[in-house]
Amino acid sequence: MKAINTHFETKAIRTQIERTQFLEHSSPLYLTSSYVFEDAEDMRASFAEEKERNIYSRFTNPNTSEFVDKICQLEGAESGYAFATGMSAVFSTFAALLESGDHIVSAQSVFGSTHTLFTTYLPKWNINTSYFKVDEADKIKSLITPNTKILYAETPTNPAVDILDLEFLGNIARRHNLLLVIDNCFATPYLQNPIKFGADLVIHSATKLIDGQGRVLGGVTVGRADLIREIYLFSRNTGPALSPFNAWILSKSLETLAVRVDRHCENALKVAQVLEQHANIILVKYPFLKSHPQYEIAKKQMRQGGNIVAFEIKGGVEAGRKFLDSLQLCSLSANLGDTRTIVTHPASTTHSKLSKEERLEVSITDGLVRVSVGLEHIDDIINDLKQALQ
Ligand SMILES: *Cc1c(COP(=O)(O)O)cnc(C)c1O
């Protein structure tokens, strides 16, 4: 890509692999598991990494490279690697960078499978995690030990859409010589760039708003080149690579990310404003509502508020379930960031295995409902939510 294309939308559209002899306008799909060598010397030099080229699609592929290059451009990152899912990106990042005895300090409110990784799997390799609550970031320093290597967080958080101060986390990480790793899934590279605030690595589940159309799974980790090198070496030997087909889909999706996310955010803000006025609702949380406890931080680090709105219905678990059963347009589904509006009730589904006390620690009350606001007409979304609230 030529250096003159500096804006987000242009980078998302014009970052592209080299054209073939067919001079195709849009990037072709390279479904090939391996690549051929000119001769024995070419093969030797390629394996010795004396030249940059594709060898085998578990290592690199033109389509996955294009997707990674785009995310790097959009996040302001030096380098990256693409994974089959968001969770393989999360797992491979920890597995590549940590060793037995290392310690993680993490925000308490993280994606469910990431939480399970911390509590069930990493301890098997003697890697343990300490947690801080969103409103207790000043406690982080007291959790750091000589073995702490990674400071980890998501912002906005799932499902309660709390906001963590990235600049604050970046400063702590620098002062204590920790790697700051941010799961930027809810914000996308369009709304927030954690590297600007001091993150060393940024992880995305591309399954969500990056695909944005509920079709494919994917993940990516981008950031400091020396760390990505470790993650790449781990991954090329353990095999969590993104498929070329999914990479091709995701690169196409990035071309429309800005316009899609603009509309998602516009719709979500309207939904939040309408819900805030509704008599059957106790509380609405959306980062760009003035009533959000971390509104000022959200304004500082995000372009817009994202597409997730959390709210609490009067009447607890029963009211939450009844609300879900009364929806006619919105889907009940585990995904988020789709064109279709999706509604979930965390207390009776994704977080039902936690005790009530554990749920409250991550801001999940019994009546909490999470809406991933989609791209249907705003009036239709609001009408469906309103009729179900009645
Ligand atoms: C969905 C999600 C993941 C996991 O991504 P998959 O593609 O489903 O593996 C990780 N982090 C966050 C914040 C997510 O929402």
Side-chain angles (χ1 to χ4, degrees), residues 85-87 90 111 114 154 183 185-186 205 207-208 217-218 336:
T85 65
M87 278 323 299
V90 172
F111 185 69
T114 304
E154 295 169 12
D183 181 333
C185 173
F186 272 36
S205 165
T207 313
K208 312 297 168 55
L217 299 172
L336 61 92

Side-chain angles (χ1 to χ4, degrees), residues 22 31 54 56 84 129 152 164 231-232 239 253 276 286-287 307 329 331 347 357 368 376 378:
F22 300 116
L31 285 181
N54 296 299
Y56 188 61
T129 305
Y152 187 82
L164 286 144
I231 294 167
Y232 165 71
S253 301
E276 209 172 29
Y286 183 68
N307 84 314
L329 177 75
S331 315
E357 289 69 37
L368 186 84
E376 303 96 335
I378 183 62

Side-chain angles (χ1 to χ4, degrees), residues 45-272:
S46 300
F47 271 86
E49 294 190 74
E50 286 166 18
K51 40 174 98 173
E52 207 174 297
R53 53 155 294 160
N54 296 299
I55 297 174
Y56 188 61
S57 285
R58 168 150 45 79
F59 309 171
T60 57
N61 165 281
N63 293 112
T64 56
S65 298
E66 180 182 79
F67 173 62
V68 168
D69 286 350
K70 278 196 189 193
I71 297 284
C72 287
Q73 290 273 340
L74 303 179
E75 284 287 11
E78 293 171 355
S79 184
Y81 187 82
F83 298 89
T85 65
M87 278 323 299
S88 57
V90 172
F91 173 68
S92 303
T93 300
F94 285 112
L97 299 178
L98 296 180
E99 47 192 84
S100 175
D102 284 345
H103 177 244
I104 301 164
V105 172
S106 171
Q108 186 149 27
S109 186
V110 291
F111 185 69
S113 295
T114 304
H115 193 260
T116 305
L117 178 66
F118 289 161
T119 54
T120 307
Y121 297 104
L122 292 183
K124 294 210 294 191
W125 299 297
N126 192 28
I127 296 167
N128 291 297
T129 305
S130 305
Y131 306 94
F132 63 93
K133 289 186 202 160
V134 174
D135 55 354
E136 288 181 351
D138 49 337
K139 223 183 106 186
I140 295 175
K141 275 181 224 156
S142 67
L143 300 174
I144 296 171
T145 73
N147 294 336
T148 308
K149 208 155 169 194
I150 286 179
L151 178 58
Y152 187 82
E154 295 169 12
T155 179
T157 64
N158 180 30
V161 284
D162 289 313
I163 301 289
L164 286 144
D165 188 335
L166 288 171
E167 191 179 6
F168 178 81
L169 296 179
N171 287 337
I172 293 187
R174 204 165 319 121
R175 215 169 303 134
H176 295 271
N177 206 16
L178 310 178
L179 298 175
L180 178 61
V181 181
I182 298 294
D183 181 333
N184 201 28
C185 173
F186 272 36
T188 80
Y190 180 57
L191 299 180
Q192 173 176 283
N193 296 129
I195 290 171
K196 264 196 231 154
F197 298 96
D200 298 285
L201 292 170
V202 173
I203 297 176
H204 284 284
S205 165
T207 313
K208 312 297 168 55
L209 284 158
I210 289 179
D211 171 40
Q213 288 146 88
R215 299 169 295 187
V216 298
L217 299 172
V220 64
T221 301
V222 299
R224 259 172 53 189
D226 59 327
L227 303 172
I228 294 295
R229 173 81 185 152
E230 293 301 317
I231 294 167
Y232 165 71
L233 290 174
F234 174 83
S235 302
R236 80 177 244 170
N237 288 297
T238 55
L242 178 65
S243 83
F245 179 73
N246 285 6
W248 179 78
I249 293 269
L250 292 168
S251 289
K252 281 271 140 216
S253 301
L254 283 174
E255 296 184 19
T256 58
L257 184 72
V259 285
R260 285 187 288 108
V261 172
D262 273 338
R263 180 63 72 84
H264 274 293
C265 294
E266 187 187 319
N267 284 356
L269 181 61
K270 283 184 190 153
V271 165

